[in-house]
Amino acid sequence: MTTAPPTSTGPAPSVEHDKAAESRVGLILRARELGIVLALAALVVVTAVVNPRFLSGQSIRDLVLAAAIIVVLAVGQAVVVITRNIDLSVGSVLGLSAFAVGSLLQAAPGVPVVVALLVGLAFGAVCGLVNGVLVRFGNVPALVVTLGTLYVYRGIGFFWAGGQQINADKLPPGFLAFGTAGVLGVPWLIIIALVVVLVAGLYLRTYRSGRELYAMGSNPEAARLAGIPVGRRTLAAFVVSGALAGLAGVLFAARFGTIDASAGTGMELNVVAAVVVGGVAVFGGSGTIWGAAIGALLLTTIGSALPVLGIDQFWQQAIVGALILLAIGTDRVVAARIAASLRRRESHVVS
Amino acid sequence: MSSPDLSPRRLLGRLTSWDAAIIGVLILFVIIASFTVDNFASSRNFSFLVLDLAPIALMALPMTLIIVTGEIDLSVASTLGLASAVMGAMWEGGLPIETIIPVCVLLGAVLGAVNGTFVTVFGLPSLAVTIGTLALYRGLAFVVLGDRAVAEFPASYTDLVTGRIGDTGIPLLLIPLVVLGLVFAVVLHVTPFGRSLFAIGANAEAARFSGTRVTRVKFWLYVVSGAVAALAGVLWTLRYSSARADNGTGLELAVVAAVLLGGVSIFGGRGTLWGVIAGALLLTSLQNALRLADVSNEALSVVTGLLLIVSVLAPNLASNSHAALRRRRRPDPPPPASPNPDPAPSPTPAVRSS
Amino acid sequence: GGTTRDSSAGDTSGSTGAAAATANPDAPIREGLKIAFLPKQLNNPYSDIEAGGGQTAVTELKGDYKLVGPNDASASSQVSYINTLIQQQQDVIGIAANDPNAVCPSLNQARDAGIKVVAFDSDAAKQCRDVFVNQATTQGIGETLVKMTHDLTGGQGDIAILSATPNATNQNAWIAVVQEELKKPENAGMKLVATVYGNDDDQKSFQEAQGLLQTYPNLKAIVSPTTVGIAATARYVSSSSYKGKVAVTGLGTPNQMREFVKDGTVSQFALWNPADIGYLAGYAGAALASGQITGKQGETFTAGKLGKYTIGADGEIVLGPPTVFNAQNIDQFNF
Amino acid sequence: MASPEPGRPLLAVRSVAKSFGAVSAVRDVSFPLYGGEVHALVGENGAGKSTIVKMLAGLHRPDSGTIELDGQPVELHSPADALAAGIAVIYQEPTLFPDLSVAENIFMGRQPLRSGRRIDRRAMNARAAAYFTQLGVAIDPDRPARGLSIADQQIVEIAKALSLDARVIVMDEPTAALTGVEVKRLFAVAESLRAGGAALLFISHRFEEITALCRRVTIMRDGAHVSTDPIDELTVDEMVRRMVGRPLDTLFPKHDVVPGDVVLEVEGLTRAGVFADVSFQVRAGEIVALAGLVGAGRSEVVQAVFGVDPRDSGEVRVDGKSLRGGSPAAAMRAGVALVPEDRRQQGLVLDASIERNITSTRLGSLAKLGLLVGGAERRFARDWAARLQTKYSHLTDPVGRLSGGNQQKVVLAKWLSTQPRVLIVDEPTRGIDVGTKAEVHRLLSDLAADGVAIVMVSSELPEVLGMADRVLVMREGELVAELPRAEATEQTVMFAATGQGAAA
Ligand SMILES: Nc1ncnc2c1ncn2[C@@H]1O[C@H](COP(=O)(O)OP(=O)(O)OP(=O)(O)O)[C@@H](O)[C@H]1O
Ligand SMILES: Nc1ncnc2c1ncn2[C@@H]1O[C@H](COP(=O)(O)OP(=O)(O)OP(=O)(O)O)[C@@H](O)[C@H]1O
Ligand SMILES: [Mg+2]
Ligand SMILES: [Mg+2]
């Protein structure tokens, strides 16, 4: 075939393209996550200056432990949002799975932690599957489906739990230990969260099916034409989000020890906020897992920094809101800069 | 080459459309409920129902317009809360209620303008922006009123909200609701402005190329949404004669649910206000009836959720199976002529001045 | 001009209710009374125990018991339920008000419709209920809290309060008393450095506890006058390096706290028996509906196994002093 | 390059039919595609060409009839199937992922891999760059597709098809958005593909292209198959007669009009990075063409004039009155109309009905007391659709269902109905068949005759030369030449447009 172009010995232009490529990639990466990282750094520094104990081992540990759960949720959410969908049911799924695992351990204290984790995953996956099926086969907008299942799953949770509350003393000590202990001082929750972030991040960046998720989010119609199995991928995305929410449920149970039907209520908005703050475009197609994770970390840090800063209770929520706006604002500014630079370096027919 | 008369066809389209379906469901439900649920059909219950309906329905009106343009406003419930808190603070401060109410509504407009600015001027996604202001406004509400709950609003006003027209069972509150509903419906459906909203929702760029001031329109929609939400806050405060920072927490989801239930496309460009009003009514009367029937709170949320999903799912499945049928029904003798009544270009009245 | 707070003083939406009737101490308790309980929130362990007590009472009285309520502890959703109960023509409504005033108009509608209203656990505004069953005098609880703290800290050092929601009626009342008590000379050594709110949300309370300990290095004790808060605080402290250094006390249920009493994080905390509150409320309601009492000060009635009670000022009925739990006695309780 | 008369066709379409509800788009159409040969598919707008394409792409299932590959009937259930069967399609409308890099757009789902099935970005970018060199354009493979001009988008599509190295390549009006230079390059590529033994199906409304590239031509009319012959057995006039069903009157019916007063004045119009210091005047009754290579910035200029794009400096005057920048509404009030370049994105609300689209610019005047009641809209829409001889089945159908050409007519109707003093048309005949083209051209000259000032952006030289009283040539965002009708020739325009040495 005369059409197959030489790939090994890249012709002159392609070389200079590669250089351009590097710079562009760098620029965009910096652009997307820069704002958040800066905000995070600034926050930590200020807090530490005001109250050095904020950087004490104990407090950092508490911080990341709290972050671990929301990070896991944010990763799942990011996957869904990138495909131009959204999953508002995560809070309810978390509650449901937490309670499921809780009552399992209550009934059979012997169950090893690993099994508990798997049960949580599976449980969430099923909830996610339901969402996915409704979106895929019922072609109902994800926002509607998951807003619905937000109510439904929560309701089921209440039915099941009733007034029952599973207290720390009912849970096997091994499981509670898992909530705080770890290897070489690194708590399990954090290890798990990191693994989730790395795997998901790598997958979305360097695997074909991962990139296809972006394609679907960027232009669904074109994705169909490109022969991407849109339906299956959508389904998968929701299953992943559900499964991670389930996993987060187990972590939640282990961390907080007390579980009732209302666990994780209202968390969905925080998670979406984290993802958005993390620079994932609400209408899909762009953004990274790293970004989402950092976004989650930032929000949690705010949550625990403000009391340390001794800022009046009543200001906390307001400040969180303001910071969300600030974060997406800066993100937009940078994005605009890129667009401008693109417009200038326009293509022209070489003659 | 004119197309065949469409009026019957359009009528059919109306009837089979999904918001019409919701209206049908609503009527059906009300009839069934009044026979099966004791006390449901009582005039007193009706006034309770209207009181529960009011805040959701109010905020759903501008929300419909916003969602039709493809945006969303999740901060309405927080705006309600902040308005309520400010109302309380000013009432405590001894200001006359006649000043407080307009000031609160104005405040709401300003809060809406803030949303609008972020969405239009900075071009940020409204979902993200209003999640931010959802937290911000609720937070400010707590900053204003803190942990206190201001009460003892004048009976002359609280009774206005909870009262009825004479000795009829019809609550006074119904009047402003109906009026506003009509206004919004007319604006959305039979004015050029309303048309431009649909155009914006379906293809903002094309709308811009047709001379629509897309950003300006969106901005004002947010202002209106804020003002109405604040008004809802005032009514809320008077109804419970208690101003608190946490009033109406979480109501935004109910409002969005009502709008979607009413058949408005979350992607913009499609929907009717009738559907939305029916949606809000269905939501509240369903909850009211279930409560009267001692159905547990859990069941309420499950039913609400299912209702929401089904309301969108059902019409889709219907149309799908319909299409499937058409596909199977083959190969029918192809129509003799092309889609167009007379293919040969007939000498047209205008432009061809040869 | 215009309608201001002062000009409309007294003109608040309230009605005297049906309190005009006179009490007949030896009227028999009517059977088949429809008594409905409307706690702050369903599916909350504490509320459920309270309601449970109510159920016992109603069964003893051969009445017909009903439990309704929202899943969120908000005043507005309680109002919808009051309206429903009015529609269903109950005889008695027992309510733990989420907001004393917000529920007022509907409660008065209920009383106009001849329904007796018994507030329990958390009071509604006086003019819209017939009696209030108080778990203990506000004063009593405040004093107990301070006393326990005094014992634990030896009367010296910084202390902090982790309360429920910022606008929880009774918590705020108790905190007020605590602040008064601390002014007394014998408590002069203790300094209240902060009051934070966990919104009766386990996770939030947990993080607030973290915040307190990080912010106030030489904190001696955290006092949490709410069952959710004390459990979360105890759990955080027990899993942190502060265990043993910082005392945790307040109001909690034995079942929640047992673990932490055993592992030494908590050495004493207090609570009344929530079941008894519901129980007493049930009897008070029946007595009202049967005309034994009308809610005036000095009237008396018998509340089954709890014995004889006398209505105090403002129609308040006090259950009794709270129980203090510790390693010795905790295993005798199961709620 | 006389390749031997081929034997068995690589792909054969056998009496396929497809109807959408009432509309029967394709009826009993059959034709063969031979390896090593380019096959033309021609027909009026709405003849059913794209529908056939969509069947080959696995998007539509034929209601009846079959598609055969190597003599074996194949069922194409999805685009994936088509790709697997070695059928590559360049669609009429570009289908890119704006957020992804150009390279990823080309290789989506087929990215070159390295160890552990991970994507090898370097290799991917290198290969993409190689394809671009082959196509003779310099597009940074790592730049996101968002913001590419239509032409650049089309080129990426072509690169995508190349990268598939498929046996059957279908091109649905690939040249509609291209100018001479790029078309030449595309043809070179097509030629090499053909020589490589692939079978090409080529759809275009430009006969010079068809005669230049194709060996065999299938003609369709109103969804039905008319004929399939070797190209050299047909004259262009015969082709036109068969597809239009009547002999065609002249393609460029230009009236000579005596220009009136200056209506539109543009002075020193500048937008940083896109165009600079553009000044020109248009008189009543004049047709002024803006020519230039794709990417020269013509669309940007006219969009800035109309106010949809901001302008950094410069002034626009209509009838001597200065026009506020950045406000299409103001421009419309002053009597300016812009028929935009990209009808799907800028011209139409595809989901909205034909009626809504046509009336969208006139609602204010159609409303009674501010309310749109009664059948005024319906009547208005029906009237204008008729004037432009639009083919539709119901005014309430979404306009997206119309064929490309008929969509363009709706856009024209929408703007002509505003009775403009200044009419700006950007690529007015892009993707329009000869019949309609003649209509549009007649329309333009009639409007000019009625004293409308017309600015025409066009990438089709014949059109420019045939219609314009004056030709303004742009290069890289600057106005480089102004040629009166007499001096405007293929050479002079291309020379100005490409600059030294690049004379195509
Ligand atoms: N999805 C659809 N639903 C209904 N009708 C359709 C649909 N797609 C195409 N049609 C109709 O089928 C006919 C053929 O359309 P098609 O796009 O194939 O024409 P075409 O030959 O490609 O025209 P053009 O040259 O303008 O692209 C037209 O009348 C069109 O309105
Ligand atoms: N939406 C956009 N964002 C960024 N750059 C754009 C956009 N549209 C076009 N451009 C660039 O601006 C320049 C002019 O665009 P365009 O292709 O419309 O010019 P043109 O002369 O109108 O060409 P044609 O009309 O033939 O497509 C080109 O370099 C193009 O890549
Ligand atoms: Mg076509
Ligand atoms: Mg252009």
Side-chain angles (χ1 to χ4, degrees):
Chain A
M1 288 287 292
T2 52
T3 58
T7 48
S8 51
T9 63
S14 78
V15 177
E16 79 200 18
H17 278 319
D18 280 358
K19 272 199 239 73
E22 252 86 86
S23 66
R24 173 63 49 69
V25 172
L27 176 56
I28 290 176
L29 273 186
R30 258 181 281 125
R32 278 268 165 230
E33 282 82 14
L34 187 66
I36 330 151
V37 176
L38 286 184
L40 184 56
L43 181 62
V44 172
V45 169
V46 171
T47 320
V49 168
V50 173
N51 179 343
R53 285 167 64 96
F54 185 68
L55 289 185
S56 73
Q58 178 65 40
S59 116
I60 290 183
R61 198 153 156 290
D62 295 330
L63 177 64
V64 280
L65 276 176
I69 293 169
I70 183 124
V71 164
V72 171
L73 287 172
V75 170
Q77 190 67 249
V79 172
V80 174
V81 171
I82 282 172
T83 63
R84 194 178 285 195
N85 286 297
I86 192 165
D87 185 351
L88 292 180
S89 69
V90 285
S92 307
V93 174
L94 180 144
L96 209 48
S97 120
F99 193 81
V101 171
S103 24
L104 168 74
L105 290 166
Q106 202 172 1
V111 175
V113 173
V114 187
V115 177
L117 289 172
L118 293 181
V119 170
L121 268 172
F123 211 90
V126 172
C127 297
L129 188 66
V130 174
N131 290 337
V133 167
L134 284 168
V135 174
R136 158 100 166 75
F137 296 102
N139 52 52
V140 183
L143 191 85
V144 182
V145 168
T146 56
L147 183 56
T149 48
L150 163 88
Y151 288 116
V152 175
Y153 293 156
R154 181 64 62 191
I156 294 174
F158 277 127
F159 263 129
W160 183 6
Q164 181 191 5
Q165 182 178 47
I166 298 174
N167 297 322
D169 62 335
K170 305 251 186 55
L171 295 172
F175 182 67
L176 292 173
F178 163 77
T180 46
V183 282
L184 327 163
V186 187
W188 283 111
L189 268 62
I190 295 167
I191 296 175
I192 292 179
L194 283 180
V195 170
V196 169
V197 170
L198 285 177
V199 170
L202 217 63
Y203 171 75
L204 254 67
R205 172 157 172 66
T206 61
Y207 285 86
R208 283 178 176 172
S209 41
R211 302 311 294 173
E212 290 179 355
L213 295 181
Y214 282 91
M216 287 159 52
S218 191
N219 181 349
E221 184 49 28
R224 231 162 45 77
L225 297 181
I228 295 174
V230 174
R232 239 186 306 134
R233 296 269 179 273
T234 313
L235 217 54
F238 276 100
V239 170
V240 168
S241 159
L244 288 181
L247 178 63
V250 186
L251 304 188
F252 185 97
R255 175 65 179 142
F256 295 109
T258 317
I259 313 147
D260 60 21
S262 63
T265 306
M267 218 176 232
E268 53 279 347
L269 287 189
N270 297 343
V271 175
V272 174
V275 169
V276 169
V277 168
V280 177
V282 189
F283 296 116
S286 71
T288 65
I289 294 294
W290 328 119
I294 302 173
L297 191 59
L298 176 62
L299 287 197
T300 337
T301 316
I302 295 168
S304 39
L306 293 186
V308 175
L309 287 170
I311 291 175
D312 171 10
Q313 288 297 308
F314 305 123
W315 278 98
Q316 282 197 28
Q317 207 177 1
I319 293 177
V320 170
L323 281 172
I324 293 177
L325 293 176
L326 190 73
I328 55 178
T330 34
D331 186 46
R332 167 50 50 96
V333 172
V334 185
R337 260 212 263 99
I338 294 182
S341 78
L342 278 182
R343 278 259 263 53
R344 254 173 259 104
R345 47 203 319 292
E346 251 323 319
S347 73
H348 292 290
V349 177
V350 278
S351 4
Chain B
M1 31 174 75
S2 74
S3 56
D5 176 21
L6 297 162
S7 41
R9 197 167 162 286
R10 293 179 83 203
L11 212 63
L12 201 71
R14 284 273 159 71
L15 286 179
T16 53
S17 77
W18 121 40
D19 51 302
I22 287 296
I23 298 179
V25 173
L26 173 65
I27 296 169
L28 206 69
F29 171 78
V30 170
I31 294 172
I32 295 173
S34 0
F35 284 111
T36 56
V37 182
D38 314 354
N39 310 314
F40 178 79
S42 76
S43 79
R44 164 182 250 155
N45 188 54
F46 177 66
S47 61
F48 288 154
L49 204 155
V50 172
L51 284 174
D52 289 350
L53 172 72
I56 295 180
L58 268 181
M59 295 192 281
L61 297 176
M63 182 74 83
T64 307
L65 272 55
I66 288 181
I67 293 185
V68 161
T69 63
E71 302 289 350
I72 196 164
D73 181 356
L74 291 178
S75 70
V76 282
S78 300
T79 307
L80 181 154
L82 182 47
S84 173
V86 169
M87 186 173 177
M90 291 163 82
W91 178 246
E92 238 181 358
L95 276 80
I97 195 130
E98 291 78 6
T99 13
I100 294 178
I101 293 177
V103 169
C104 285
V105 174
L106 201 68
L107 170 74
V110 173
L111 298 178
V114 172
N115 285 330
T117 312
F118 274 104
V119 173
T120 59
V121 179
F122 304 139
L124 296 169
S126 55
L127 188 62
V129 169
T130 54
I131 283 178
T133 46
L134 168 97
L136 177 62
Y137 295 164
R138 181 66 65 186
L140 290 179
F142 275 104
V143 172
V144 169
L145 207 53
D147 49 11
R148 281 166 305 120
V150 177
E152 283 150 15
F153 289 91
S156 43
Y157 280 81
T158 51
D159 294 351
L160 265 185
V161 176
T162 49
R164 330 243 179 107
I165 305 170
D167 45 15
T168 64
I170 305 161
L172 286 164
L173 201 51
L174 200 56
I175 301 168
L177 271 185
V178 171
V179 172
L180 276 174
L182 281 173
V183 170
F184 274 86
V186 167
V187 167
L188 180 61
H189 290 300
V190 288
T191 63
F193 177 79
R195 288 295 158 75
S196 66
L197 296 187
F198 286 101
I200 292 173
N203 180 349
E205 188 173 11
R208 209 164 53 84
F209 271 80
S210 311
T212 308
R213 299 182 181 80
V214 176
T215 54
R216 188 180 306 186
V217 168
K218 284 183 177 175
F219 177 83
W220 285 109
L221 285 185
Y222 277 100
V223 173
V224 172
S225 173
V228 172
L231 179 64
V234 170
L235 293 178
W236 184 290
T237 312
L238 291 176
R239 177 194 175 182
Y240 299 112
S241 84
S242 159
R244 305 164 47 129
D246 67 352
N247 274 349
T249 307
L251 212 59
E252 62 276 347
L253 290 189
V255 174
V256 173
V259 173
L260 298 181
L261 198 54
V264 176
S265 160
I266 191 68
F267 302 124
R270 256 188 296 108
T272 73
L273 207 85
W274 311 122
V276 171
I277 292 171
L281 263 167
L282 185 58
L283 215 60
T284 29
S285 51
L286 186 76
Q287 298 194 335
N288 174 290
L290 290 181
R291 245 190 254 111
L292 279 172
D294 285 332
V295 177
S296 72
N297 205 304
E298 297 80 77
L300 270 184
S301 50
V302 173
V303 170
T304 313
L306 290 179
L307 196 65
L308 184 59
I309 296 173
V310 170
S311 71
V312 187
L313 186 59
N316 287 1
L317 294 184
S319 62
N320 287 1
S321 56
H322 191 265
L325 272 176
R326 250 204 278 98
R327 245 182 277 106
R328 225 167 284 110
R329 178 166 54 71
R330 57 124 89 174
D332 48 359
S338 77
N340 141 24
D342 48 335
S346 54
T348 44
V351 295
R352 183 184 260 185
S353 62
S354 47
Chain C
T3 327
T4 69
R5 194 151 189 245
D6 320 327
S7 77
S8 73
D11 151 41
T12 54
S13 48
S15 82
T16 56
T22 53
N24 163 13
D26 34 41
I29 293 288
R30 273 166 50 206
E31 288 197 358
L33 286 171
K34 290 201 277 172
I35 303 183
F37 280 79
L38 176 48
K40 286 185 160 191
Q41 168 181 25
L42 285 192
N43 303 320
N44 159 319
Y46 178 78
S47 311
D48 288 10
I49 300 163
E50 279 182 332
Q55 184 164 20
T56 330
V58 177
T59 355
E60 287 176 15
L61 296 161
K62 305 201 176 41
D64 138 18
Y65 164 89
K66 165 183 290 196
L67 171 65
V68 295
N71 283 328
D72 59 328
S74 88
S76 47
S77 31
Q78 262 184 330
V79 167
S80 309
Y81 277 96
I82 299 172
N83 294 344
T84 313
L85 295 173
I86 298 175
Q87 288 298 354
Q88 297 171 330
Q89 286 129 12
Q90 300 288 321
D91 297 305
V92 177
I93 295 179
I95 180 174
N98 281 326
D99 175 328
N101 302 299
V103 290
C104 219
S106 353
L107 283 182
N108 277 323
Q109 286 187 13
R111 297 169 72 208
D112 296 342
I115 303 175
K116 301 298 175 193
V117 174
V118 179
F120 64 92
D121 182 312
S122 153
D123 200 358
K126 290 179 191 53
Q127 72 273 15
C128 27
R129 46 85 176 160
D130 295 292
V131 296
F132 169 50
V133 174
N134 200 343
Q135 47 272 76
T137 55
T138 310
Q139 189 62 26
I141 292 174
E143 284 165 2
T144 319
L145 289 173
V146 175
K147 183 177 168 309
M148 290 191 298
T149 321
H150 190 282
D151 298 352
L152 295 170
T153 59
Q156 293 300 322
D158 295 355
I159 64 171
I161 293 178
L162 193 157
S163 180
T165 60
N167 32 23
T169 326
N170 38 13
Q171 266 82 5
N172 290 333
W174 300 331
I175 293 172
V177 177
V178 169
Q179 283 159 338
E180 280 312 305
E181 284 296 304
L182 288 177
K183 294 207 180 73
K184 294 190 178 160
E186 66 266 31
N187 299 328
M190 296 184 289
K191 179 152 152 295
L192 178 57
V193 291
T195 304
V196 296
Y197 302 90
N199 298 345
D200 265 353
D201 168 69
D202 188 86
Q203 193 181 350
K204 182 89 163 56
S205 312
F206 195 87
Q207 282 168 356
E208 289 303 333
Q210 281 176 20
L212 280 176
L213 289 166
Q214 285 165 24
T215 323
Y216 305 99
N218 26 24
L219 205 58
K220 281 279 167 299
I222 296 180
V223 185
S224 181
T226 156
T227 57
V228 180
I230 190 173
T233 312
R235 202 171 62 258
Y236 171 69
V237 172
S238 70
S239 73
S240 78
S241 54
Y242 305 108
K243 181 173 176 180
K245 302 195 190 68
V246 180
V248 179
T249 185
L251 308 174
T253 69
N255 286 354
Q256 277 180 309
M257 302 303 291
R258 189 166 286 109
E259 183 195 5
F260 307 113
V261 172
K262 295 243 187 288
D263 77 6
T265 313
V266 178
S267 48
Q268 58 174 243
F269 66 97
L271 196 68
W272 48 87
N273 183 340
D276 291 349
I277 302 175
Y279 186 85
L280 180 51
Y283 269 89
L288 279 167
S290 317
Q292 280 185 356
I293 54 170
T294 62
K296 291 206 192 60
Q297 184 161 9
E299 296 173 343
T300 62
F301 69 102
T302 338
K305 63 176 190 208
L306 293 179
K308 204 165 173 12
Y309 278 88
T310 310
I311 302 178
D314 300 329
E316 208 173 284
I317 307 168
V318 179
L319 177 63
T323 327
V324 172
F325 307 95
N326 53 35
Q328 286 70 40
N329 68 356
I330 191 164
D331 286 327
Q332 303 155 20
F333 301 90
N334 178 25
F335 63 85
Chain D
M1 44 108 174
S3 57
E5 184 56 44
R8 192 182 65 185
L10 198 52
L11 179 145
V13 177
R14 293 231 186 281
S15 62
V16 293
K18 178 76 187 173
S19 48
F20 303 96
V23 184
S24 115
V26 167
R27 274 171 275 129
D28 186 25
V29 173
S30 318
F31 60 85
L33 292 184
Y34 296 103
E37 171 171 310
V38 185
H39 190 116
L41 181 60
V42 300
E44 281 187 289
N45 296 122
K49 305 182 293 294
S50 296
T51 306
I52 297 251
V53 169
K54 287 176 182 154
M55 289 189 215
L56 293 177
L59 274 173
H60 291 332
R61 310 276 307 284
D63 294 339
S64 65
T66 58
I67 295 166
E68 289 179 5
L69 212 59
D70 299 323
Q72 302 306 320
V74 285
E75 289 264 310
L76 303 172
H77 297 273
S78 73
D81 291 359
L83 292 174
I87 304 174
V89 180
I90 297 173
Y91 295 93
Q92 189 165 3
E93 317 291 346
T95 57
L96 297 180
F97 308 114
D99 302 287
L100 300 186
S101 80
V102 168
E104 271 194 302
N105 267 283
I106 296 176
F107 293 104
M108 181 50 65
R110 300 171 289 107
Q111 296 96 331
L113 299 179
R114 57 177 205 247
S115 63
R117 304 196 46 70
R118 287 172 304 146
I119 293 171
D120 182 344
R121 283 200 152 59
R122 284 193 147 282
M124 185 168 72
N125 289 338
R127 283 178 59 185
Y131 285 121
F132 287 138
T133 357
Q134 186 182 4
L135 289 167
V137 293
I139 301 176
D140 173 359
D142 206 52
R143 131 205 239 290
R146 168 169 286 114
L148 283 177
S149 70
I150 293 188
D152 291 347
Q153 291 177 29
Q154 198 58 266
I155 287 169
V156 174
E157 290 288 346
I158 294 165
K160 200 192 291 179
L162 285 181
S163 73
L164 280 161
D165 55 42
R167 308 156 60 207
V168 180
I169 297 163
V170 182
M171 303 183 172
D172 191 351
E173 303 189 32
T175 56
L178 305 188
T179 42
V181 189
E182 293 136 315
V183 171
K184 283 204 174 56
R185 288 217 171 72
L186 172 61
F187 280 16
V189 174
E191 181 52 37
S192 65
L193 287 167
R194 188 199 62 73
L200 282 76
L201 180 64
F202 181 81
I203 299 178
S204 170
H205 290 292
R206 299 180 186 166
F207 290 99
E208 69 277 14
E209 293 175 2
I210 289 166
T211 42
L213 185 65
C214 307
R215 288 187 87 250
R216 208 173 296 273
V217 56
T218 293
I219 301 175
M220 293 180 65
R221 185 189 327 141
D222 291 333
H225 178 262
V226 176
S227 69
T228 301
D229 314 272
I231 200 116
D232 35 27
E233 295 172 15
L234 280 179
T235 64
V236 167
D237 294 352
E238 176 58 14
M239 271 193 256
V240 173
R241 203 189 52 67
R242 287 189 188 176
M243 63 182 267
V244 185
R246 63 188 151 85
L248 185 70
D249 27 25
T250 83
L251 185 53
F252 301 115
K254 178 98 182 76
H255 313 301
D256 309 308
V257 190
V258 189
D261 316 341
V262 173
V263 183
L264 175 69
E265 292 169 277
V266 177
E267 224 175 78
L269 200 64
T270 301
R271 187 176 165 209
V274 186
F275 57 82
D277 190 25
V278 174
S279 311
F280 60 90
Q281 299 187 336
V282 185
R283 301 175 164 278
E286 228 186 354
I287 301 183
V288 173
L290 260 184
L293 296 181
V294 164
R298 298 161 297 170
S299 297
E300 277 59 22
V301 169
V302 291
Q303 286 172 18
V305 169
F306 186 62
V308 281
D309 286 359
R311 57 185 191 220
D312 296 339
S313 66
E315 189 177 14
V316 175
R317 281 189 296 278
V318 178
D319 297 328
K321 282 189 283 319
S322 161
L323 199 60
R324 184 154 54 85
S327 165
M332 285 166 74
R333 273 195 303 279
V336 184
L338 168 66
V339 175
E341 163 183 37
D342 178 346
R343 60 172 170 264
R344 298 174 69 85
Q345 280 310 312
Q346 307 167 331
L348 296 169
V349 178
L350 290 174
D351 303 340
S353 68
I354 300 168
E355 175 184 342
R356 286 287 174 90
N357 274 284
I358 292 181
T359 55
S360 59
T361 48
R362 301 288 296 154
L363 290 171
S365 59
L366 288 171
K368 300 188 194 66
L369 309 168
L371 299 187
L372 293 160
V373 285
E377 291 173 277
R378 171 67 31 93
R379 270 176 261 109
F380 186 82
R382 187 176 300 150
D383 176 33
W384 277 97
R387 288 198 201 181
L388 289 162
Q389 307 184 354
T390 317
K391 287 186 192 171
Y392 61 89
S393 48
H394 297 292
L395 278 174
T396 47
D397 291 346
V399 76
R401 290 224 194 120
L402 297 181
S403 71
N406 282 306
Q407 288 178 7
Q408 186 68 7
K409 289 184 184 176
V410 173
V411 184
L412 283 165
K414 165 180 163 182
W415 283 108
L416 293 187
S417 69
T418 64
Q419 320 274 357
R421 307 254 303 98
V422 178
L423 176 63
I424 306 173
V425 287
D426 194 348
E427 309 291 358
T429 60
R430 176 172 289 176
I432 289 191
D433 66 61
V434 273
T436 322
K437 222 177 237 176
E439 283 306 322
V440 171
H441 291 152
R442 167 172 287 95
L443 209 84
L444 290 178
S445 30
D446 291 348
L447 287 164
D450 300 347
V452 178
I454 297 178
V455 180
M456 180 178 79
V457 176
S458 173
S459 304
E460 280 191 56
L461 265 183
E463 184 169 79
V464 169
L465 302 176
M467 295 300 298
D469 299 295
R470 270 187 301 142
V471 182
L472 307 174
V473 186
M474 284 190 70
R475 185 171 71 237
E476 309 208 349
E478 297 191 357
L479 214 49
V480 290
E482 167 161 0
L483 307 163
R485 184 174 180 76
E487 297 168 23
T489 68
E490 182 112 11
Q491 288 68 24
T492 50
V493 174
M494 280 319 283
F495 186 80
T498 54
Q500 298 297 353

